[in-house]
Amino acid sequence: MMRRVEEVERRPRWVYGSGGEPDPRFTLANERTFLAWIRTAIAVSALGYALRSLAGGQLDAAIGRVLLALASVACLVGWLRWARAERALRLERGLPAPMGATAIAILLAAGLVVLAIGEWH
């Protein structure tokens, strides 16, 4: 037997315990964005693991470790972004400003540039 949404306790409470039910299209779009963050984190972690495992030098291994840490941060940032956006949708407020995406992009680009420069030498 299906239970109504109101009968199911959803977590986190600070997200679902506020406001009303938003249009499902917006909730699903927010979820797709979260899943894009997770896919990105998986790709970055695969690159980091490959660099760490197949490292030709200490620089490659260090960049691999940084990429693995960055992938972990991307998972956390993606979840926090999802939660803040979902709460804003439920409260019928504007979406919060992006957080963390710029820093992650800059760190990832810097790591790849250092890796590319290391390959040239």
Side-chain angles (χ1 to χ4, degrees):
M1 181 168 97
M2 300 255 319
R3 295 192 299 174
R4 293 179 27 202
V5 171
E6 294 83 27
E7 296 173 1
V8 177
E9 184 176 333
R10 296 187 293 176
R11 296 178 191 266
R13 287 187 192 143
W14 67 272
V15 172
Y16 290 113
S18 55
E21 287 295 317
D23 185 328
R25 294 173 295 176
F26 301 133
T27 295
L28 293 171
N30 188 32
E31 185 176 333
R32 284 190 300 273
T33 302
F34 170 64
L35 293 173
W37 277 89
I38 299 302
R39 283 190 307 271
T40 301
I42 289 169
V44 171
S45 65
L47 176 61
Y49 182 76
L51 282 173
R52 194 179 63 81
S53 298
L54 306 171
Q58 288 183 346
L59 179 61
D60 294 346
I63 292 173
R65 286 187 197 93
V66 169
L67 288 174
L68 287 169
L70 192 58
S72 299
V73 171
C75 287
L76 179 62
V77 168
W79 184 83
L80 287 173
R81 185 202 172 286
W82 167 83
R84 292 175 66 217
E86 184 66 23
R87 184 177 164 97
L89 289 170
R90 297 179 71 76
L91 295 173
E92 297 182 8
R93 294 184 181 158
L95 293 176
M99 56 177 248
T102 303
I104 288 173
I106 290 170
L107 289 171
L108 180 58
L112 294 174
V113 166
V114 169
L115 181 62
I117 290 172
E119 291 294 318
W120 290 335
H121 288 80

